[in-house]
Amino acid sequence: MRKILLFSMLIITIFLAGCASKDAKKTAKDELTISAGVNLVAGGFDPTAGYGVWAPDIFHSHLLQVKEKNQLANDLATAYEISPDGLTYTFKIRKDAKFSDGHPLTSADVVFTFETTKSKASAADLTMLSSVEALDESTVVFHLKYPWSTFLFNLSEVGIVPKHAYNKNYGDQPIGSGAWKVMEFVKDQKLILVPNEHYYGLKPKLKKVTILKLDEDAALAAAKSGKLDLVLVESEFAKTEVAGMKLYKMPAMDAFTVNLPTIPEMTDSSGKKVGNNVTSDLAIRKALNIGINRESIIQNALSGLGRASYGAAAELSWSNGDSFKDNQVEEAKKILEAAGWQDTDGDGIREKNGVKAEIVITGRSNDQARYNTVVALAEDAKKLGIRIVPKSAPWSECREARNVPTCWVFGQPNPIEFYRYYDSSQIGKAVIGNPSSYTNESVDVIIKKALTATNSDEINGYWKEAQTLAKQDVPYLWITRPDVTYLVKEGLDISPLNKLPTRGQGISIVENMNEWTWK
C-alpha cells in the first residue's frame, strides 16, 4: 500500500512539475492551481443532461439563481410575472448577455435549452412543463401542465446553452455565458479555466485557474510541497499543519442522513428486496432519533467539524427549523423495552420475536466523511442495545437503499427534495426516490397543497406543516451538517458566499471564484 502511495505521489509531483515547467517564471499571483473535488474534472458540463442541479455551474448563466440568504434572485432575468393560476411564467431577459464565443444570447437559446432538457431523462426535472415559447428576442413564456410552486427553483437549476453551437460533445466543450470558459480539459485529470471576456457580471480577477484531480493523500502531499493554492481535505486531516496554508471551513446546507425503511422486509414487484425487519419498528426509529448523541458522533467522525442536524437547515424559508434534545438514553431504552425489544441473552443486543436489533448501514466508499459518520453512529448506538454494522460500498450499491439503509446527503434550497424523500408517490422513483418506503396519506395531502399553492407564505406554511407531521414517524435519521474543509494558501482571499451552499463533494467552493483575489 505504501509503495502504491509513494508511486502516486511521485506521478503527481512529476505532473505538477510539468505544469510548472511550462511557465517556470510565473508569479502565480493572478493564477491558481487547486484540487477541490473529483467531480470538477469529471466532464459532462451539459445543463440539458442535469449538470448544475446538485452543484454550481460556473460556465453557464441561468434565468434565476439562489443567491444571498438562499433566496432566488435574477441572473439572466430582469423581471418575471406569474399568472394568478400558477400556469404561466413570463420572463424578460437581459439584452447584453453573450456566450463565450461572442454570440448574443437570446430567448431562442432559452427555448432551445428547456426543450432539449425536457426531451432528456436527467436530474433536471421538467415534467411539469408543457411548452416554452419566445415572444421576442428578450421575452420567454413558460406554460405548465399544472401548478408547480417549485418551478422557479427548477429554472435556477438549468444553465442556458447556445442553440447555434450545441452538439453531442457539448458536455466536454461547453460554450456558456457564465464567468468562466474552458481553456483545456482532460477528463479525470485536469481542467484549465480562463475568464469569459463576454460575461455580463463581475469578471474574474484571476487570469487562469488549473483544477487537478488528486486523491486525498496526493492532494495533501502536493499542498505540503507548495504546488497547490487550495485543496479539499477530509475533516480528519483538516487540522494538519501545512506551512503557508490555513484552514477554511465552509458550513454546508446538506446533512448526513440515514434512511430507516418503514416497512418489513419483502420482495417488490421488480424482484428487489425492500424493507427492513428492524427499522420498520417505529420504536427502533424513535429510540435512535432521541437516543444518539449527535455532538459525540460529529466529534468522533468529523473531528468536531460540523453541527447537529434534526431536519432541513433552519436557514431555509420553507424549513420548520426542527430541533430537540438528543442523547436521551434512558428515555430511548424505555421506548424500546415498552415495544418488546429486550436483551434476553446478555450479548448487549436487544431482540424481539427472534429478531436481533441489528442493522447494516452502508457508507459511500469514495466519501470518507459519510462512512466515518456511519462508524461513529454504530459506536454510539451500542448504548441503546442496537447493533449497527457499518459497510463501505460503492455508490451503485449504496443507492439501492430500500433494504439496507445508507448515509445520504440531504439538502437543497429547493423544497422539492422533501417531496422526493417523503411523498409516497416517489417510492423507488429513479432508484433513489423515498428510500424509506415512507407512506403517510396526511403528509402526501399537505405536500400536494404545498406544490399547488400560489402564495409564498402559504407554500412555506404547508412545507413546514408536512415536516412537523412526518417527523413523528422518523423515516430518516438526520445526524449532522458537516463543514466542508479546505487548506488555502495564505494571501488568497476567498469571498464569502453569504448563503449556505450545498456540499457537492467539495465543488461549491468555486461558485463565486470570479470574486477571488490574491492580496
Side-chain angles (χ1 to χ4, degrees), residues 428-476:
K429 287 284 181 67
V431 181
I432 63 175
N434 194 343
S436 290
S437 302
Y438 176 58
T439 300
N440 184 321
E441 290 183 5
S442 298
V443 172
D444 290 352
V445 168
I446 299 169
I447 289 176
K448 186 174 183 180
K449 288 180 179 178
L451 286 170
T452 55
T454 55
N455 175 283
S456 60
D457 290 339
E458 197 175 18
I459 293 167
N460 288 336
Y462 284 133
W463 286 121
K464 292 175 183 178
E465 185 180 350
Q467 291 164 67
T468 299
L469 189 57
K471 76 175 183 181
Q472 299 173 24
D473 299 323
V474 201
Y476 299 94

Short mmCIF file of all heavy atoms in Angstrom, two decimals, residues 428-476:
data_model
loop_
_atom_site.label_atom_id
_atom_site.label_comp_id
_atom_site.label_asym_id
_atom_site.label_seq_id
_atom_site.Cartn_x
_atom_site.Cartn_y
_atom_site.Cartn_z
N GLY A 428 -39.16 4.48 -4.82
CA GLY A 428 -38.49 3.75 -5.89
C GLY A 428 -38.29 4.54 -7.17
O GLY A 428 -37.68 4.03 -8.11
N LYS A 429 -38.77 5.80 -7.22
CA LYS A 429 -38.59 6.60 -8.44
C LYS A 429 -37.11 6.89 -8.67
O LYS A 429 -36.40 7.31 -7.75
CB LYS A 429 -39.36 7.93 -8.33
CG LYS A 429 -40.88 7.80 -8.44
CD LYS A 429 -41.28 7.58 -9.90
CE LYS A 429 -42.79 7.47 -10.06
NZ LYS A 429 -43.48 8.74 -9.77
N ALA A 430 -36.67 6.67 -9.90
CA ALA A 430 -35.27 6.93 -10.26
C ALA A 430 -34.30 6.26 -9.27
O ALA A 430 -33.26 6.81 -8.93
CB ALA A 430 -35.00 8.44 -10.32
N VAL A 431 -34.67 5.10 -8.80
CA VAL A 431 -33.88 4.27 -7.87
C VAL A 431 -33.84 4.86 -6.46
O VAL A 431 -34.09 4.17 -5.48
CB VAL A 431 -32.44 4.03 -8.37
CG1 VAL A 431 -31.68 3.15 -7.39
CG2 VAL A 431 -32.45 3.41 -9.76
N ILE A 432 -33.54 6.16 -6.35
CA ILE A 432 -33.26 6.73 -5.02
C ILE A 432 -34.47 7.40 -4.38
O ILE A 432 -34.40 7.86 -3.25
CB ILE A 432 -32.10 7.75 -5.09
CG1 ILE A 432 -32.48 8.95 -5.97
CG2 ILE A 432 -30.83 7.09 -5.61
CD1 ILE A 432 -31.43 10.04 -5.96
N GLY A 433 -35.59 7.46 -5.07
CA GLY A 433 -36.76 8.14 -4.51
C GLY A 433 -37.28 7.46 -3.26
O GLY A 433 -37.40 6.24 -3.21
N ASN A 434 -37.60 8.25 -2.24
CA ASN A 434 -38.18 7.78 -0.98
C ASN A 434 -37.62 6.42 -0.56
O ASN A 434 -38.35 5.42 -0.51
CB ASN A 434 -39.71 7.71 -1.11
CG ASN A 434 -40.41 7.56 0.24
OD1 ASN A 434 -39.79 7.22 1.24
ND2 ASN A 434 -41.71 7.80 0.26
N PRO A 435 -36.34 6.34 -0.25
CA PRO A 435 -35.71 5.05 0.07
C PRO A 435 -36.19 4.42 1.37
O PRO A 435 -35.86 3.27 1.66
CB PRO A 435 -34.21 5.40 0.14
CG PRO A 435 -34.19 6.84 0.52
CD PRO A 435 -35.38 7.45 -0.15
N SER A 436 -36.95 5.17 2.16
CA SER A 436 -37.52 4.59 3.39
C SER A 436 -38.86 3.95 3.12
O SER A 436 -39.49 3.43 4.06
CB SER A 436 -37.66 5.68 4.47
OG SER A 436 -36.39 6.08 4.93
N SER A 437 -39.35 4.01 1.87
CA SER A 437 -40.68 3.48 1.53
C SER A 437 -41.73 4.07 2.47
O SER A 437 -42.65 3.38 2.92
CB SER A 437 -40.69 1.95 1.60
OG SER A 437 -39.73 1.39 0.73
N TYR A 438 -41.58 5.35 2.76
CA TYR A 438 -42.43 6.02 3.75
C TYR A 438 -43.79 6.38 3.15
O TYR A 438 -43.86 6.97 2.07
CB TYR A 438 -41.73 7.28 4.26
CG TYR A 438 -42.56 8.11 5.21
CD1 TYR A 438 -43.06 7.56 6.38
CD2 TYR A 438 -42.83 9.45 4.94
CE1 TYR A 438 -43.82 8.32 7.27
CE2 TYR A 438 -43.57 10.23 5.81
CZ TYR A 438 -44.06 9.65 6.98
OH TYR A 438 -44.82 10.41 7.84
N THR A 439 -44.83 6.03 3.86
CA THR A 439 -46.19 6.34 3.42
C THR A 439 -46.97 6.95 4.56
O THR A 439 -47.07 6.36 5.64
CB THR A 439 -46.91 5.06 2.95
OG1 THR A 439 -46.19 4.49 1.86
CG2 THR A 439 -48.32 5.39 2.47
N ASN A 440 -47.51 8.14 4.32
CA ASN A 440 -48.39 8.79 5.28
C ASN A 440 -49.35 9.65 4.45
O ASN A 440 -48.94 10.67 3.88
CB ASN A 440 -47.59 9.65 6.27
CG ASN A 440 -48.49 10.27 7.34
OD1 ASN A 440 -49.61 10.70 7.06
ND2 ASN A 440 -47.99 10.33 8.57
N GLU A 441 -50.59 9.23 4.36
CA GLU A 441 -51.54 9.91 3.48
C GLU A 441 -51.70 11.38 3.85
O GLU A 441 -51.85 12.24 2.96
CB GLU A 441 -52.90 9.20 3.54
CG GLU A 441 -52.90 7.83 2.88
CD GLU A 441 -54.28 7.20 2.89
OE1 GLU A 441 -55.24 7.87 3.32
OE2 GLU A 441 -54.39 6.04 2.46
N SER A 442 -51.67 11.68 5.13
CA SER A 442 -51.82 13.08 5.56
C SER A 442 -50.64 13.93 5.07
O SER A 442 -50.82 15.07 4.63
CB SER A 442 -51.93 13.15 7.08
OG SER A 442 -53.08 12.47 7.53
N VAL A 443 -49.43 13.36 5.14
CA VAL A 443 -48.25 14.08 4.64
C VAL A 443 -48.37 14.30 3.14
O VAL A 443 -48.09 15.39 2.62
CB VAL A 443 -46.96 13.31 4.99
CG1 VAL A 443 -45.74 13.93 4.30
CG2 VAL A 443 -46.75 13.26 6.50
N ASP A 444 -48.82 13.26 2.43
CA ASP A 444 -48.99 13.39 0.97
C ASP A 444 -49.95 14.53 0.63
O ASP A 444 -49.71 15.31 -0.31
CB ASP A 444 -49.53 12.09 0.38
CG ASP A 444 -48.52 10.96 0.41
OD1 ASP A 444 -47.35 11.22 0.73
OD2 ASP A 444 -48.91 9.81 0.11
N VAL A 445 -51.05 14.63 1.37
CA VAL A 445 -52.05 15.66 1.10
C VAL A 445 -51.46 17.06 1.30
O VAL A 445 -51.66 17.96 0.47
CB VAL A 445 -53.29 15.47 2.01
CG1 VAL A 445 -54.20 16.69 1.96
CG2 VAL A 445 -54.04 14.21 1.61
N ILE A 446 -50.70 17.21 2.35
CA ILE A 446 -50.11 18.54 2.64
C ILE A 446 -49.04 18.89 1.61
O ILE A 446 -48.93 20.04 1.18
CB ILE A 446 -49.54 18.57 4.07
CG1 ILE A 446 -50.65 18.31 5.07
CG2 ILE A 446 -48.90 19.93 4.35
CD1 ILE A 446 -50.17 18.06 6.48
N ILE A 447 -48.25 17.90 1.20
CA ILE A 447 -47.24 18.16 0.17
C ILE A 447 -47.92 18.61 -1.13
O ILE A 447 -47.46 19.55 -1.80
CB ILE A 447 -46.38 16.90 -0.08
CG1 ILE A 447 -45.46 16.64 1.11
CG2 ILE A 447 -45.56 17.05 -1.35
CD1 ILE A 447 -44.65 15.36 1.00
N LYS A 448 -49.02 17.98 -1.46
CA LYS A 448 -49.73 18.38 -2.68
C LYS A 448 -50.21 19.82 -2.57
O LYS A 448 -50.15 20.59 -3.54
CB LYS A 448 -50.92 17.44 -2.94
CG LYS A 448 -51.61 17.71 -4.27
CD LYS A 448 -52.67 16.67 -4.57
CE LYS A 448 -53.30 16.95 -5.95
NZ LYS A 448 -54.34 15.95 -6.28
N LYS A 449 -50.70 20.20 -1.39
CA LYS A 449 -51.11 21.59 -1.19
C LYS A 449 -49.93 22.54 -1.38
O LYS A 449 -50.07 23.62 -1.97
CB LYS A 449 -51.70 21.76 0.21
CG LYS A 449 -53.07 21.11 0.40
CD LYS A 449 -53.57 21.35 1.82
CE LYS A 449 -54.95 20.73 2.03
NZ LYS A 449 -55.43 20.91 3.43
N ALA A 450 -48.76 22.14 -0.86
CA ALA A 450 -47.57 22.99 -0.99
C ALA A 450 -47.17 23.16 -2.46
O ALA A 450 -46.75 24.23 -2.88
CB ALA A 450 -46.41 22.38 -0.20
N LEU A 451 -47.32 22.10 -3.23
CA LEU A 451 -46.89 22.15 -4.64
C LEU A 451 -47.87 22.92 -5.52
O LEU A 451 -47.49 23.44 -6.57
CB LEU A 451 -46.71 20.73 -5.17
CG LEU A 451 -45.47 19.99 -4.67
CD1 LEU A 451 -45.51 18.52 -5.06
CD2 LEU A 451 -44.20 20.65 -5.21
N THR A 452 -49.12 22.99 -5.13
CA THR A 452 -50.13 23.63 -6.00
C THR A 452 -50.53 25.03 -5.52
O THR A 452 -51.26 25.72 -6.22
CB THR A 452 -51.39 22.75 -6.09
OG1 THR A 452 -51.89 22.48 -4.77
CG2 THR A 452 -51.07 21.44 -6.79
N ALA A 453 -50.08 25.44 -4.34
CA ALA A 453 -50.41 26.77 -3.85
C ALA A 453 -49.66 27.83 -4.68
O ALA A 453 -48.66 27.54 -5.33
CB ALA A 453 -50.05 26.88 -2.38
N THR A 454 -50.14 29.05 -4.64
CA THR A 454 -49.51 30.12 -5.43
C THR A 454 -49.02 31.28 -4.57
O THR A 454 -48.38 32.20 -5.08
CB THR A 454 -50.50 30.67 -6.48
OG1 THR A 454 -51.70 31.09 -5.82
CG2 THR A 454 -50.85 29.60 -7.52
N ASN A 455 -49.33 31.25 -3.30
CA ASN A 455 -48.87 32.30 -2.39
C ASN A 455 -47.67 31.79 -1.60
O ASN A 455 -47.73 30.71 -1.00
CB ASN A 455 -50.03 32.67 -1.43
CG ASN A 455 -49.62 33.66 -0.37
OD1 ASN A 455 -48.96 33.31 0.60
ND2 ASN A 455 -49.98 34.92 -0.59
N SER A 456 -46.58 32.57 -1.58
CA SER A 456 -45.33 32.07 -1.00
C SER A 456 -45.46 31.77 0.49
O SER A 456 -44.92 30.76 0.99
CB SER A 456 -44.19 33.06 -1.24
OG SER A 456 -44.49 34.32 -0.65
N ASP A 457 -46.18 32.60 1.23
CA ASP A 457 -46.35 32.33 2.67
C ASP A 457 -47.14 31.04 2.87
O ASP A 457 -46.83 30.23 3.76
CB ASP A 457 -47.07 33.50 3.34
CG ASP A 457 -46.19 34.74 3.43
OD1 ASP A 457 -44.96 34.59 3.36
OD2 ASP A 457 -46.74 35.85 3.56
N GLU A 458 -48.17 30.88 2.03
CA GLU A 458 -48.99 29.68 2.12
C GLU A 458 -48.15 28.44 1.77
O GLU A 458 -48.23 27.40 2.44
CB GLU A 458 -50.15 29.82 1.15
CG GLU A 458 -51.30 28.88 1.39
CD GLU A 458 -52.48 29.17 0.46
OE1 GLU A 458 -52.29 29.85 -0.57
OE2 GLU A 458 -53.56 28.70 0.76
N ILE A 459 -47.34 28.57 0.73
CA ILE A 459 -46.49 27.45 0.29
C ILE A 459 -45.54 27.02 1.41
O ILE A 459 -45.45 25.85 1.77
CB ILE A 459 -45.68 27.86 -0.96
CG1 ILE A 459 -46.61 28.07 -2.15
CG2 ILE A 459 -44.61 26.82 -1.28
CD1 ILE A 459 -45.96 28.77 -3.33
N ASN A 460 -44.82 27.99 1.97
CA ASN A 460 -43.87 27.67 3.05
C ASN A 460 -44.58 27.08 4.26
O ASN A 460 -44.06 26.19 4.95
CB ASN A 460 -43.08 28.92 3.45
CG ASN A 460 -42.08 29.33 2.38
OD1 ASN A 460 -41.65 28.50 1.58
ND2 ASN A 460 -41.73 30.60 2.34
N GLY A 461 -45.76 27.58 4.55
CA GLY A 461 -46.53 27.06 5.69
C GLY A 461 -46.87 25.59 5.50
O GLY A 461 -46.78 24.79 6.45
N TYR A 462 -47.25 25.22 4.29
CA TYR A 462 -47.56 23.80 4.02
C TYR A 462 -46.32 22.92 4.16
O TYR A 462 -46.38 21.82 4.70
CB TYR A 462 -48.17 23.65 2.63
CG TYR A 462 -49.62 24.11 2.53
CD1 TYR A 462 -50.04 24.94 1.49
CD2 TYR A 462 -50.57 23.70 3.47
CE1 TYR A 462 -51.36 25.36 1.39
CE2 TYR A 462 -51.89 24.12 3.38
CZ TYR A 462 -52.28 24.95 2.33
OH TYR A 462 -53.58 25.36 2.25
N TRP A 463 -45.18 23.40 3.61
CA TRP A 463 -43.95 22.59 3.74
C TRP A 463 -43.61 22.35 5.21
O TRP A 463 -43.24 21.26 5.62
CB TRP A 463 -42.77 23.27 3.04
CG TRP A 463 -42.80 23.22 1.55
CD1 TRP A 463 -42.80 24.29 0.69
CD2 TRP A 463 -42.82 22.05 0.70
NE1 TRP A 463 -42.83 23.87 -0.62
CE2 TRP A 463 -42.84 22.50 -0.63
CE3 TRP A 463 -42.83 20.69 0.96
CZ2 TRP A 463 -42.87 21.61 -1.71
CZ3 TRP A 463 -42.86 19.80 -0.12
CH2 TRP A 463 -42.88 20.28 -1.43
N LYS A 464 -43.76 23.40 6.02
CA LYS A 464 -43.44 23.26 7.45
C LYS A 464 -44.41 22.30 8.13
O LYS A 464 -44.02 21.49 8.98
CB LYS A 464 -43.48 24.64 8.11
CG LYS A 464 -42.37 25.58 7.66
CD LYS A 464 -42.52 26.97 8.26
CE LYS A 464 -41.45 27.92 7.73
NZ LYS A 464 -41.59 29.29 8.26
N GLU A 465 -45.67 22.40 7.77
CA GLU A 465 -46.68 21.52 8.36
C GLU A 465 -46.38 20.05 8.03
O GLU A 465 -46.49 19.17 8.88
CB GLU A 465 -48.06 21.91 7.83
CG GLU A 465 -49.21 21.13 8.47
CD GLU A 465 -50.57 21.55 7.91
OE1 GLU A 465 -50.63 22.56 7.18
OE2 GLU A 465 -51.56 20.85 8.21
N ALA A 466 -45.97 19.81 6.79
CA ALA A 466 -45.63 18.44 6.37
C ALA A 466 -44.44 17.90 7.15
O ALA A 466 -44.42 16.73 7.57
CB ALA A 466 -45.35 18.41 4.87
N GLN A 467 -43.43 18.74 7.36
CA GLN A 467 -42.26 18.30 8.12
C GLN A 467 -42.63 17.96 9.56
O GLN A 467 -42.17 16.95 10.13
CB GLN A 467 -41.19 19.41 8.12
CG GLN A 467 -40.55 19.64 6.76
CD GLN A 467 -39.81 20.97 6.69
OE1 GLN A 467 -38.81 21.16 7.37
NE2 GLN A 467 -40.32 21.90 5.89
N THR A 468 -43.45 18.81 10.16
CA THR A 468 -43.85 18.58 11.56
C THR A 468 -44.60 17.25 11.70
O THR A 468 -44.39 16.50 12.66
CB THR A 468 -44.75 19.74 12.03
OG1 THR A 468 -44.00 20.96 11.96
CG2 THR A 468 -45.21 19.52 13.46
N LEU A 469 -45.44 16.97 10.73
CA LEU A 469 -46.22 15.72 10.78
C LEU A 469 -45.32 14.50 10.53
O LEU A 469 -45.41 13.49 11.24
CB LEU A 469 -47.33 15.79 9.73
CG LEU A 469 -48.38 14.68 9.77
CD1 LEU A 469 -49.06 14.64 11.14
CD2 LEU A 469 -49.42 14.91 8.68
N ALA A 470 -44.44 14.60 9.56
CA ALA A 470 -43.60 13.46 9.18
C ALA A 470 -42.58 13.10 10.25
O ALA A 470 -42.20 11.93 10.38
CB ALA A 470 -42.89 13.75 7.85
N LYS A 471 -42.13 14.08 11.01
CA LYS A 471 -41.07 13.79 12.00
C LYS A 471 -41.55 12.80 13.05
O LYS A 471 -40.75 12.11 13.68
CB LYS A 471 -40.57 15.07 12.65
CG LYS A 471 -41.50 15.67 13.68
CD LYS A 471 -40.86 16.87 14.36
CE LYS A 471 -41.77 17.43 15.46
NZ LYS A 471 -41.19 18.61 16.12
N GLN A 472 -42.86 12.70 13.26
CA GLN A 472 -43.39 11.76 14.24
C GLN A 472 -43.14 10.30 13.83
O GLN A 472 -43.13 9.41 14.67
CB GLN A 472 -44.90 11.99 14.42
CG GLN A 472 -45.25 13.38 14.92
CD GLN A 472 -46.74 13.64 14.93
OE1 GLN A 472 -47.54 12.71 15.00
NE2 GLN A 472 -47.13 14.89 14.86
N ASP A 473 -42.95 10.09 12.54
CA ASP A 473 -42.74 8.73 12.04
C ASP A 473 -41.26 8.38 11.87
O ASP A 473 -40.93 7.22 11.60
CB ASP A 473 -43.46 8.56 10.70
CG ASP A 473 -44.96 8.77 10.83
OD1 ASP A 473 -45.52 8.35 11.86
OD2 ASP A 473 -45.56 9.35 9.91
N VAL A 474 -40.39 9.38 11.94
CA VAL A 474 -38.93 9.21 11.86
C VAL A 474 -38.52 8.28 10.71
O VAL A 474 -37.82 7.28 10.92
CB VAL A 474 -38.33 8.68 13.18
CG1 VAL A 474 -36.83 9.00 13.24
CG2 VAL A 474 -39.03 9.22 14.39
N PRO A 475 -38.87 8.59 9.49
CA PRO A 475 -38.41 7.74 8.39
C PRO A 475 -36.94 7.97 8.05
O PRO A 475 -36.34 7.17 7.32
CB PRO A 475 -39.32 8.16 7.23
CG PRO A 475 -39.76 9.54 7.56
CD PRO A 475 -39.81 9.63 9.04
N TYR A 476 -36.39 9.06 8.56
CA TYR A 476 -34.97 9.37 8.31
C TYR A 476 -34.31 9.82 9.60
O TYR A 476 -34.93 10.50 10.42
CB TYR A 476 -34.84 10.48 7.25
CG TYR A 476 -35.43 10.07 5.92
CD1 TYR A 476 -36.75 10.40 5.61
CD2 TYR A 476 -34.70 9.32 5.01
CE1 TYR A 476 -37.33 9.99 4.41
CE2 TYR A 476 -35.26 8.92 3.82
CZ TYR A 476 -36.57 9.25 3.52
OH TYR A 476 -37.12 8.83 2.34
#
